[in-house]
Amino acid sequence: MSAPLRVAIVGAGPAGFYAAGDLLKAGDGSVEVDLFDRLPTPYGLVRAGVAPDHPNIKVVTKVYEKTAAKPGFRYHGNVEIGRDITPAELREHFHAVLYTVGAPNDRKLGIPGEDLPGSLGAADFVGWYNGHPDFRDLDPDLSGERAVVVGAGNVALDCARMLGVPVAELQSTDTADHALAALAASSIREVVILARRGPLQGAYTNPELLELGEIEGLDVIVDADDVRLDDAHRALLETADKTTRRNVEIVTDYAGRVPTGASRRIVLKFFSSPVEILGEDRVEGVRIVRNELVQNEDGSFSARPTEVTETIEAGLVLRSIGYLGAPLDGVPFDERRGTIRNVDGRVTEEDGTVVPGVYTAGWVKRGPSGVIGTNKKCAQETVRELRADAEAGLLADPPKGAAELDALLAERAPDRIDYAAWGRIDAHEVAAGEPAGRPRVKLVDIDEMVGVSRS
Ligand SMILES: Cc1cc2nc3c(=O)[nH]c(=O)nc-3n(C[C@H](O)[C@H](O)[C@H](O)COP(=O)(O)OP(=O)(O)OC[C@H]3O[C@@H](n4cnc5c(N)ncnc54)[C@H](O)[C@@H]3O)c2cc1C
């Protein structure tokens, strides 16, 4: 194999940056990394997913900035693989291609009424308040008094909190301006979170759950009956992990609180699943069923619907039951799991045959779980396999090199944003935020970003 080792990474989220950092760690020019993203802006869900009122989480981008400063690193923003350059074309220019494209799609509920206006996926809603260019025109209808969020993970809690928190608390954040304006005019006074199972099965973590109870002028409502544990669950709690035990304590505390009569409420409703989204031309309500829990052979509990149903009036329904990856032409994909087929990051065909020189990391490799740091270990595992293949002589020299790639990019992606150009967008956003004490005012239009990057 000729030196340097040339690697393309597709997707500039945490997994992409951790993979790049690991590949470039020797700093001796033995590896070159070209990192592509379909957006002009890097950092994936750190920019477009993490809640705007959690700015400390975003400090992790300082680590990615250090990676970008390493010799051998090149950033190509505003270049979409599959649209501007095909995976097959990319492969011709590199020894290896590593896909870290994340999991941008929402899992669907598969119930009637799901496609009515007013029924949205959390990914879209989160993208909207975070200024992701794809969702800036989402315009969710916040004119009803009640919203329902389906799901019991941190993303569901983020959505509920963004709808429930007084907008004044968001004015100092980088919430997209269009979302700030819409949330200021919102009529939503109650957000109902539907959790399919019980307090021991919540997928959220302690700080996010606690945060709900700390929102100014908002009552958190939990039905006392829902936190009364049966014998099986009491036994389960004894051996449960720390997070679960604390989660149960927190919801038990919520159930014991006397509502203050605040003008806003978040209702955490356990043992409840939506069975139909109701409405003529748009969402008017949700029919839900009460579940009972049945223990599986492995000791876990599944929800089983009972005969008890109820209708909740609502003008907005957000489904937050998991994210799925999107397939790329020519890259083996497992539709059911929503991930690129792989073994430890080496991409494989359905029959397990390794696709030489193609790798994956992050959410599209292992599914949408874990925190930002989980992607570091995940990316390192993949890079370990890639290096082993390079050392074993399994990576063929690409027929084309950097000069041919530049020519292809000039032709297909004339509005490509390099890292210096992103730096100008970044500086513009940060400067725009300064007068109001905000970390930044996000640009949400790609043409505008390109314009600013050239100024
Ligand atoms: C709403 C939400 C809130 C979260 N909050 C937290 C939190 O507070 N703390 C925490 O630790 N974790 C949080 N997470 C989890 C964390 O964001 C993920 O673990 C992490 O972002 C996954 O990294 P990734 O690189 O696999 O994917 P992503 O971050 O999604 O990055 C994928 C990148 O690939 C790009 N891309 C996609 N397709 C293409 C293509 N065809 N061509 C080129 N580029 C492409 C995308 O534009 C994107 O930049 C949150 C997740 C969500 C959804």
Side-chain angles (χ1 to χ4, degrees), residues 9-17 36-39 41-46 48-51 54 57 76 79-83 99-104 122-123 126 129-130 132 154-155 158-159 208 323 326 328 361-366 368-375:
I9 301 180
V10 183
F17 266 101
F36 294 82
D37 204 282
R38 59 184 287 267
L39 294 181
T41 53
Y43 311 144
L45 287 170
V46 177
V50 172
H54 289 168
I57 308 280
H76 310 284
V79 182
E80 182 168 333
I81 304 308
R83 181 194 63 189
Y99 288 96
T100 50
V101 288
V126 166
Y129 66 63
N130 271 320
H132 189 300
N154 281 337
V155 177
D158 277 356
C159 291
E208 283 73 15
Y323 282 57
L328 275 154
W363 273 18
V364 76
K365 165 184 166 186
R366 59 175 209 281
S369 65
V371 291
I372 291 167
T374 315
N375 300 292

Side-chain angles (χ1 to χ4, degrees), residues 12 70 74 107 124 150 161 165 169 176-177 200 203 222 229 237 245 285 287 299 307 348 355 363 375 416 436:
K70 290 192 185 217
R74 290 210 303 167
R107 247 178 220 287
D124 298 10
V150 183
R161 196 176 68 255
V165 79
E169 290 194 21
D177 279 353
L200 267 88
V222 176
L229 304 182
L237 190 61
R245 289 206 305 272
R287 199 159 62 81
E307 300 283 298
T348 56
V355 181
W363 273 18
N375 300 292
R416 183 179 74 88

Side-chain angles (χ1 to χ4, degrees), residues 22-94:
D22 199 31
L23 280 161
L24 296 171
K25 69 180 171 203
D28 58 2
S30 59
V31 183
E32 286 177 3
V33 168
D34 286 52
L35 177 58
F36 294 82
D37 204 282
R38 59 184 287 267
L39 294 181
T41 53
Y43 311 144
L45 287 170
V46 177
R47 179 179 165 104
V50 172
D53 57 346
H54 289 168
N56 293 345
I57 308 280
K58 303 187 194 205
V59 176
V60 69
T61 58
K62 296 276 169 231
V63 175
Y64 309 151
E65 283 171 9
K66 284 200 180 127
T67 295
K70 290 192 185 217
F73 177 90
R74 290 210 303 167
Y75 177 64
H76 310 284
N78 207 17
V79 182
E80 182 168 333
I81 304 308
R83 181 194 63 189
D84 302 318
I85 296 180
T86 66
E89 285 171 328
L90 197 61
R91 189 72 193 84
E92 290 174 357
H93 295 80
F94 294 91

Side-chain angles (χ1 to χ4, degrees), residues 103-424:
N105 298 332
D106 282 283
R107 247 178 220 287
K108 296 204 85 172
L109 294 162
I111 60 172
E114 187 164 14
D115 296 320
L116 280 171
S119 163
L120 302 172
D124 298 10
F125 184 70
V126 166
W128 171 76
Y129 66 63
N130 271 320
H132 189 300
D134 286 1
F135 306 108
R136 68 195 178 112
D137 296 323
L138 187 74
D139 198 18
D141 186 346
L142 309 180
S143 64
E145 287 208 355
R146 187 178 295 112
V148 170
V149 181
V150 183
N154 281 337
V155 177
L157 300 196
D158 277 356
C159 291
R161 196 176 68 255
M162 287 299 289
L163 288 167
V165 79
V167 78
E169 290 194 21
L170 298 175
Q171 300 289 2
S172 59
T173 69
D174 64 4
T175 306
D177 279 353
H178 56 239
L180 281 177
L183 290 167
S186 164
S187 302
I188 293 175
R189 294 291 168 265
E190 183 172 292
V191 184
V192 180
I193 301 171
L194 298 181
R196 178 165 59 114
R197 295 180 291 168
L200 267 88
Q201 287 89 20
Y204 37 67
T205 45
N206 304 154
E208 283 73 15
L209 186 59
L210 270 173
E211 241 179 315
L212 295 184
E214 289 162 1
I215 299 173
E216 198 67 33
L218 179 139
D219 284 332
V220 182
I221 313 286
V222 176
D223 189 330
D225 284 343
D226 284 357
V227 296
R228 221 164 274 132
L229 304 182
D230 59 18
D231 290 345
H233 278 88
R234 258 199 304 275
L236 192 64
L237 190 61
E238 307 240 310
T239 55
D241 59 49
K242 224 170 116 195
T243 297
T244 304
R245 289 206 305 272
R246 184 76 186 113
N247 276 344
V248 172
E249 270 174 32
I250 298 166
V251 291
T252 306
D253 168 58
Y254 289 157
R257 287 189 187 183
V258 179
T260 64
S263 61
R264 292 176 178 232
R265 297 151 50 105
I266 289 182
V267 181
L268 190 44
K269 208 168 166 58
F270 290 101
F271 307 105
S272 302
S273 293
V275 285
E276 185 176 2
I277 297 180
L278 307 165
E280 284 292 314
D281 309 319
R282 50 158 304 97
V283 171
E284 291 166 23
V286 188
R287 199 159 62 81
I288 65 170
V289 68
R290 177 90 185 165
N291 296 322
E292 58 190 7
L293 297 191
V294 283
Q295 194 155 21
N296 304 311
E297 273 175 15
D298 65 0
S300 65
F301 286 83
S302 297
R304 184 168 64 193
T306 66
E307 300 283 298
V308 183
T309 62
E310 166 189 358
T311 296
I312 303 178
E313 263 181 50
L316 178 71
V317 175
L318 301 177
R319 57 171 186 277
S320 179
I321 56 164
Y323 282 57
L324 292 169
L328 275 154
D329 231 9
V331 183
F333 193 75
D334 181 335
E335 293 283 350
R336 197 183 54 79
R337 295 188 62 227
T339 54
I340 292 178
R341 290 185 189 280
N342 74 93
V343 175
D344 298 339
R346 277 194 184 96
V347 173
T348 56
E349 300 289 359
E350 199 172 351
D351 65 4
T353 321
V354 170
V355 181
V358 187
Y359 302 85
T360 183
W363 273 18
V364 76
K365 165 184 166 186
R366 59 175 209 281
S369 65
V371 291
I372 291 167
T374 315
N375 300 292
K376 184 171 182 180
K377 229 174 127 222
C378 176
Q380 284 170 342
E381 177 189 63
T382 299
V383 169
R384 203 165 50 236
E385 303 299 303
L386 191 159
R387 282 188 194 283
D389 288 350
E391 275 157 31
L394 298 174
L395 301 182
D397 281 338
K400 297 175 183 170
E404 284 98 335
L405 178 73
D406 284 345
L408 186 67
L409 284 169
E411 179 200 329
R412 303 275 183 83
D415 290 336
R416 183 179 74 88
I417 300 286
D418 63 16
Y419 207 71
W422 150 245
R424 289 188 288 277

